[in-house]
Amino acid sequence: QVQLVESGGGLVQAGDSLRLSCAASGRTFSSYAMGWYRQGPGKEREFVAAINRSGGSTYYADSVKGRFTIFRDNAKNTVYLQIDSLKPEDTAVYYCAASTQYGLLDVTGHVEYWGQGTQVTVSS
């Protein structure tokens, strides 16, 4: 029903900032709650951030609060993840997520659609 394409990842140094983008296909982007997840080396996929359909409410994992910001532009069918003060432990593949059935994508069980992911590597 929807295709998600992430971009913006790359190799950066600790302390740098990065903005990830997720472009969604479809005619009703505003009907989707959106989120970001990540999976580091040897770890399971974990919740990072979520945003509701209108963009008025956001939610974050404790590990990223204060450094990560999720926001969306429904006119552009795009959701973003602004990452500041990057740390080596942020190294992971970052995945965009979407759902029409759930309003809060803070658990993987609520995710209906996944992007292919974009690699973020942070050197110390």
Side-chain angles (χ1 to χ4, degrees):
Q1 291 286 85
V2 65
Q3 292 182 328
L4 307 173
V5 181
E6 302 96 332
S7 62
L11 176 62
V12 297
Q13 294 182 324
D16 285 352
S17 294
L18 203 60
R19 181 174 292 183
L20 307 183
S21 299
C22 174
S25 66
R27 297 176 289 270
T28 55
F29 179 68
S30 62
S31 297
Y32 292 86
M34 303 294 294
W36 287 95
Y37 289 73
R38 68 184 182 185
Q39 187 165 13
K43 300 180 180 180
E44 60 185 19
R45 192 169 299 186
E46 66 175 349
F47 167 73
V48 174
I51 190 166
N52 71 343
R53 295 171 179 85
S54 68
S57 298
T58 57
Y59 310 88
Y60 300 94
D62 289 340
S63 60
V64 305
K65 286 182 179 178
R67 297 189 300 116
F68 287 32
T69 303
I70 185 172
F71 59 101
R72 67 193 295 165
D73 187 340
N74 286 350
K76 296 182 178 180
N77 280 20
T78 303
V79 65
Y80 305 89
L81 185 67
Q82 176 69 37
I83 310 175
D84 297 322
S85 301
L86 277 157
K87 303 176 180 179
E89 52 262 44
D90 294 321
T91 295
V93 177
Y94 284 73
Y95 297 92
C96 183
S99 176
T100 59
Q101 300 300 310
Y102 299 93
L104 179 63
L105 302 186
D106 60 338
V107 296
T108 57
H110 289 174
V111 177
E112 294 181 89
Y113 307 99
W114 294 98
Q116 291 297 305
T118 185
Q119 176 72 49
V120 174
T121 303
V122 185
S123 63
S124 60

